């Protein structure tokens, strides 16, 4: 959860390109499933949270995307205070 906004390191650029390609090849539902599985293994994985929120929003599930975003935000706040 700690990557700065607008982080454009070569690594994040590669991850973004990989995400985009996965959307194109497999579709949103598959991509959401992969993100959810990743979060089961690594609940703190920021990229998986980002992919899940993005695919939910792109799939028309705006309420679910916002709910997940707010859940992440609350977890970040709690983590910062512990």
């Amino acid at each position: 959860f700690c990557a700065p906004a607008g982080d454009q390191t070569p690594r994040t650029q590669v991850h973004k390109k990989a995400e985009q390609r996965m959307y194109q090849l497999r579709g949103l539902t598959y991509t959401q499933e992969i993100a959810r599985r990743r979060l089961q293994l690594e609940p703190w994985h920021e990229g998986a949270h980002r992919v899940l929120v993005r695919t939910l929003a792109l799939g028309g599930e705006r309420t679910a995307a916002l709910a997940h975003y707010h859940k992440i935000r609350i977890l970040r706040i709690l983590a910062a205070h512990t």
Side-chain angles (χ1 to χ4, degrees):
F1 299 128
C2 298
D7 183 19
Q8 292 298 313
T9 64
R11 183 176 175 183
T12 58
Q13 291 173 356
V14 168
H15 286 292
K16 286 181 183 182
K17 287 180 183 179
E19 286 175 17
Q20 291 170 348
R21 188 68 179 142
M22 194 172 2
Y23 299 153
Q24 293 169 351
L25 293 174
R26 299 290 188 157
L28 296 175
T29 304
Y30 178 79
T31 307
Q32 287 173 13
E33 182 59 31
I34 295 299
R36 285 187 173 105
R37 288 182 187 178
R38 180 74 183 259
L39 291 171
Q40 286 176 343
L41 297 172
E42 298 178 85
W44 58 88
H45 193 276
E46 182 179 353
H49 285 289
R50 191 180 311 116
V51 168
L52 183 56
V53 169
R54 190 176 297 149
T55 57
L56 287 168
L58 289 171
E61 299 180 59
R62 186 172 186 261
T63 302
L66 288 171
H68 191 79
Y69 172 80
H70 288 295
K71 175 183 163 186
I72 298 165
R73 191 165 178 237
I74 289 168
L75 291 174
R76 276 180 104 172
I77 291 168
L78 291 174
H81 290 286
T82 57

